[in-house]
Amino acid sequence: MSVTASRATARQAPGRGLGLLWHQIRYEQLSFWRNPQSAFFTFVFPVVIMAVFGGLFGGIGKSEFYYGRSALQYYVSTIAAVSVLGCCYSQLAIVLAARRENGVLKRVRATPLPASAYFVGLLAHCLLVSVVDVLLITAIGRLYGVPLPAAAQWPALAATLVLGAGAFCALGVAVASLIRNAEAAPSVVQLVLFPLVFVSGTYMPIHSAVLNGIAGALPVRPFNDALLGAFTTHGAGLPWRDLGVLLLWGAAGAVVAVRRFRWDPRPE
């Protein structure tokens, strides 16, 4: 049976398609945990940052500088956001660039696994790792006295994490499609991410109306704001504007990824 016919069979049989998807998620998880150094630093880095911030800013109570929150309430949400960015955007773009150059993507494309199952499996894997990161950061914040999110905000928190992970995975795949080789991947990824993180107030609140206006139209600031609201407010409701911006950026990233993504290494 040809690869094309096998893919058609997978599409026609929902049970087989779900089995392939589960296999891909399991494969990504096993690959991740079998690289203990990478897994260790994926989880330890944001935890260390949160612990350092707890020591530096733990004594700062609610203030206008932090939009009426305490310093650690602010940083629990922004460090959680940057950890999701690291999992779903940075690492994904770098991994895809490396897999393409090493011929892994070319071999995957020659299997019966549909492209949709491959990328949905990657998204599910990134979301799982992100959730673990967010739980660890929340636990460190709790050690410093930061309250847990209110029960009424759990749906908003879940929606923000899922939509944020999806949007940044789409952007990560889009950026990976533009990277020429694996050696350039970290530089390209950081060139895009580094200014966005700072202008979006991840490490320090930004009180410039002009910068906030610009950052509000980009994906990182709305993600920060949506998580900040989910972690620190008590009323029910979804941050529709922030989620809408994330949805638009995710759709734009998906369009670029579909049009530009390459399975084969770029010819020298």
Side-chain angles (χ1 to χ4, degrees):
M1 180 182 293
S2 68
V3 172
T4 303
S6 299
R7 287 177 185 151
T9 302
R11 286 194 295 268
Q12 293 168 3
R16 177 173 169 79
L18 290 175
L20 289 172
L21 176 59
W22 170 247
H23 175 80
Q24 181 60 27
I25 295 171
R26 184 171 177 271
Y27 166 78
E28 294 294 344
Q29 283 286 298
L30 289 174
S31 298
F32 177 76
W33 291 107
R34 284 174 179 171
N35 186 349
Q37 188 174 35
S38 175
F40 178 79
F41 284 102
T42 296
F43 296 125
V44 166
F45 180 71
V47 167
V48 168
I49 293 294
M50 195 63 240
V52 170
F53 277 28
L56 292 174
F57 305 110
I60 301 177
K62 295 181 179 180
S63 69
E64 290 301 317
F65 184 72
Y66 291 105
Y67 310 111
R69 282 87 166 181
S70 70
L72 288 190
Q73 281 182 310
Y74 181 84
Y75 285 123
V76 163
S77 60
T78 60
I79 299 305
V82 84
S83 72
V84 175
L85 279 168
C87 295
C88 298
Y89 167 74
S90 302
Q91 290 187 17
L92 180 59
I94 292 170
V95 164
L96 286 176
R99 289 181 180 180
R100 182 174 59 228
E101 186 166 311
N102 294 335
V104 173
L105 293 182
K106 184 177 181 180
R107 293 194 293 273
V108 168
R109 191 58 174 162
T111 70
L113 181 69
S116 58
Y118 182 77
F119 286 110
V120 173
L122 280 173
L123 169 59
H125 162 71
C126 292
L127 179 60
L128 288 171
V129 174
S130 298
V131 168
V132 174
D133 252 339
V134 171
L135 290 175
L136 289 173
I137 291 165
T138 304
I140 297 298
R142 191 72 191 94
L143 292 177
Y144 285 100
V146 177
L148 294 174
Q153 281 295 322
W154 289 358
L157 180 59
T160 300
L161 286 176
V162 171
L163 188 54
F168 290 116
C169 280
L171 291 170
V173 177
V175 170
S177 69
L178 304 175
I179 296 173
R180 295 186 63 87
N181 55 69
E183 291 182 359
S187 300
V188 173
V189 166
Q190 291 304 316
L191 177 64
V192 176
L193 184 62
F194 189 78
L196 277 179
V197 166
F198 276 91
V199 79
S200 299
T202 297
Y203 298 114
M204 181 178 295
I206 304 296
H207 293 281
S208 165
V210 174
L211 286 179
N212 283 334
I214 295 171
L218 300 172
V220 178
R221 178 61 185 261
F223 189 49
N224 285 351
D225 289 346
L227 283 181
L228 181 61
F231 272 101
T232 60
T233 58
H234 298 281
L238 295 174
W240 293 109
R241 182 190 177 280
D242 296 327
L243 296 181
V245 174
L246 288 173
L247 181 60
L248 289 174
W249 276 99
V255 169
V256 174
V258 169
R259 289 179 176 271
R260 296 294 304 272
F261 190 78
R262 293 175 292 104
W263 297 85
D264 297 337
R266 185 185 297 271
E268 295 294 339

